[in-house]
Structure formats: structure tokens, C-alpha cells
Amino acid sequence: MKNIKKILIALTAITVLTACNNNGDKADGYGNFEATEITVSAENTGKLMTFTIDEGSVIEYNELIGHIDTIPLHLKKEQLFVQKDVIKAKSKGVLSQINVLQAKLKTANTNKTRIENLIKDNAGTQKQLDDIDGEIAVLKNSIRSVEIQNAPVVNELKSIDVQLQQLNDQITKSRIQNPIRGTVLSKYVEPGEIVSFGKPLYKIADLSTMELRVYVSETQLANVKIGEAVIVKIDDQDAMKTYDGKISWIASEAEFTPKIIQTKEERVALVYAVKVQVKNDGSLKIGMPAEMWLNTESNQ
């Protein structure tokens, strides 16, 4: 009977000591996991012909996952090609006039050279030179006049080329290509729906590496450095699961302690936000709570 009492007293003492030790064994930071979420939106307006993703699926960078109907854009291109051919036909008539005038100008310049040589040999007259100079001036003015008439035609052709480039860009953007490798978090549309420019299609995030945002007090800040290795723990049934983490960012300014966060000093007035990168083995989820432990002697 005495032995039983001694055993009970010993067990009680161990329990009390363990409880006291657990109360004093607090993490250096508490927070939740985050990931950079990207909302991919439509870059064109039309009917969504295909859209081959599901929530939770992992898709690769630049993977083609769907496309928006491009038939109206291709018909518009065909219409512009017809307009361009009509304008080119008009432009050819104008250009042929310029070619004729330039040929006459070349002949006039040749005649002027001959007359100048005749005058040097006292075989030509000044009137002949004046007449050819007048003819050259008239031809030059005629060429400038025709070029002015052709300028609107050239500008119209350039305008059509710009419109064609815009249509080609819209056709390219009708192909929905994934911007990053990651996991689909939310899917907002289905094939067959009409989407407009800027309408969200799905949300994606790279969950291979998660970020734990924790808050530390000013007194702890001296022990926290970018690139420093830390220990991260999450709840795992009856025990704690441990991960290796690395501090990737420290806030430059202090802020008031968020209400949901408890720091080492039990809610000090001001704290600094810290981000810790943790390799995800598939267990870490966005919003999941976790603890950060600095690699100090007391934590080892």
C-alpha cells in the first residue's frame, strides 16, 4: 500500500513538472501559411470553346488550357485584306503617274546637260536653257502634287496593317496559356460560357514552397536574420510535425500585434512581420496555423 502511494506521488510530481515545462516552452513566432495567388483573366471577349482544368490539378508553365472563339476575328481579317487590295489598286494608278513624271524629269535633266554643253561651245542659246529649266520645275511640281494625292492612300494602307496586327494580337490572346506552374485553387467558368475581357477564369498558386508569416517582438528581432534557418511546426494528430524553414523577409517597420497572434511576450504592443519559406510536402495548406522556432540553444 505504501509503495502504491509512493508511485502515485511520483507520477503526480512528474505530471506537474511536465506541465510547467510545457507552459514555459513557447514558440518564437506564430502565424499562418500563405502563397502568392494569381487570378488569371480573359484577354479577349467571346465564347469559351475549351477549358481543360479542374480545381486541385497541377498545371505547367505556359501550358495551353483553353481558347476563346476566334472566328469573328478571322472574318474581320479577311475583310481588311479585301479593303487592302482595293486600296492597293488605287495606289498603283497613282504610282504609275509618278513613274511617268519621273521618267520625263530624267529626260529633261539630260537635255539640260546637253544645252549647257552647247552654250559652252557657243552652239546653244540662253532661251533654250530657260525653257528646259521651266520644264524641269513643272515636272517637279507635278510629282509633288501626285505624291500629296497618294499620301492618304499610303496612310490608309498603314492603318489597315495596324488593324491586322491588333487582330493577330487578339487571336494570340484568345489562347489561354497558364502563367506559372502551380495548383488550381478556384475555377470560375466552364466551357461554353461567354467571357469578356478582364473576366476572372481561375486562380492559381505555386504551393511547392509555402510562406509562413509570423510576428516577432522587438526584443526577438536581434536574433532574426534573412537567410537564417529556423524550425517550423504544425499540428499533426497527437504530436507536432516539424519542417525546416528559412527566413526570406523581415518587415522594415513595426506594426500593432494582430488580434489572432500571440507572441513570446504575450501580445506586446508592436511587432515585426517575418516571412519564412518552407518546402511543402503536400501537407501544408494556405491559412494553416504554424509555429516558428529559432535555432537557439534553448530550442535545440
Side-chain angles (χ1 to χ4, degrees):
M1 193 70 176
K2 290 181 180 180
N3 291 335
I4 294 175
K5 287 183 178 180
K6 288 180 180 181
I7 293 172
L8 290 173
I9 293 171
L11 290 173
T12 303
I14 292 171
T15 302
V16 172
L17 289 172
T18 302
C20 293
N21 184 47
N22 287 338
N23 289 335
D25 189 19
K26 295 181 181 178
D28 295 288
Y30 299 82
N32 300 84
F33 281 107
E34 300 175 345
T36 301
E37 301 177 3
I38 297 177
T39 300
V40 180
S41 301
E43 295 185 83
N44 198 12
T45 299
K47 185 177 181 180
L48 189 61
M49 304 302 293
T50 60
F51 197 51
T52 57
I53 63 169
D54 295 302
E55 293 182 355
S57 60
V58 177
I59 49 181
E60 299 296 328
Y61 164 72
N62 216 31
E63 181 178 341
L64 180 65
I65 57 173
H67 76 277
I68 299 169
D69 184 17
T70 58
I71 291 179
L73 297 176
H74 283 290
L75 293 176
K76 180 65 176 177
K77 280 185 65 176
E78 292 298 324
Q79 183 181 2
L80 288 175
F81 281 132
V82 172
Q83 292 179 10
K84 190 173 182 178
D85 290 338
V86 173
I87 295 170
K88 279 183 176 180
K90 293 180 181 178
S91 182
K92 284 180 181 179
V94 177
L95 291 175
S96 63
Q97 295 179 35
I98 293 176
N99 291 333
V100 171
L101 292 172
Q102 285 178 339
K104 289 182 178 181
L105 180 61
K106 184 178 179 180
T107 301
N109 284 324
T110 302
N111 292 334
K112 179 180 178 180
T113 302
R114 290 174 180 171
I115 292 171
E116 288 174 341
N117 291 331
L118 289 172
I119 291 174
K120 289 178 182 179
D121 296 333
N122 295 320
T125 64
Q126 184 63 39
K127 182 179 182 305
Q128 290 176 311
L129 183 60
D130 292 340
D131 289 342
I132 198 66
D133 282 338
E135 183 181 348
I136 290 173
V138 170
L139 289 171
K140 287 182 177 179
N141 288 332
S142 298
I143 290 173
R144 281 196 294 268
S145 177
V146 176
E147 286 176 343
I148 291 172
Q149 294 175 17
N150 192 50
V153 177
V154 174
N155 291 334
E156 197 170 351
L157 286 173
K158 290 180 179 179
S159 175
I160 290 179
D161 286 336
V162 171
Q163 293 179 61
L164 288 170
Q165 291 176 6
Q166 290 174 338
L167 287 173
N168 288 332
D169 181 62
Q170 288 181 317
I171 290 172
T172 300
K173 290 179 177 178
S174 296
R175 294 164 54 89
I176 305 169
Q177 292 180 286
N178 185 50
I180 63 167
R181 184 186 187 280
T183 303
V184 179
L185 304 178
S186 302
K187 181 180 177 181
Y188 304 124
V189 294
E190 295 292 339
E193 293 186 28
I194 302 297
V195 297
S196 57
F197 179 85
K199 181 176 181 178
L201 303 177
Y202 65 101
K203 184 185 290 183
I204 189 171
D206 183 2
L207 304 182
S208 61
T209 300
M210 304 288 287
E211 282 189 338
L212 174 64
R213 179 188 285 267
V214 298
Y215 296 86
V216 299
S217 65
E218 188 175 359
T219 56
Q220 293 172 289
L221 197 60
N223 297 323
V224 178
K225 297 179 178 62
I226 293 179
E228 180 183 356
V230 297
I231 297 172
V232 174
K233 297 182 180 181
I234 63 170
D235 294 329
D236 185 24
Q237 296 180 351
D238 296 331
M240 299 289 285
K241 190 173 182 179
T242 302
Y243 293 85
D244 293 326
K246 182 180 290 186
I247 295 176
S248 60
W249 175 82
I250 302 172
S252 58
E253 295 181 358
E255 57 185 288
F256 286 104
T257 311
K259 293 181 180 181
I260 62 171
I261 301 298
Q262 295 294 327
T263 67
K264 195 170 184 178
E265 280 81 10
E266 298 294 340
R267 299 186 51 73
V268 293
L270 292 173
V271 292
Y272 289 82
V274 175
K275 289 183 180 180
V276 179
Q277 288 189 341
V278 182
K279 194 72 176 177
N280 191 1
D281 62 354
S283 300
L284 306 181
K285 303 293 187 293
I286 296 175
M288 178 183 288
E291 302 175 355
M292 180 195 73
W293 299 72
L294 299 174
N295 284 323
T296 59
E297 293 182 359
S298 60
N299 293 333
Q300 292 177 347

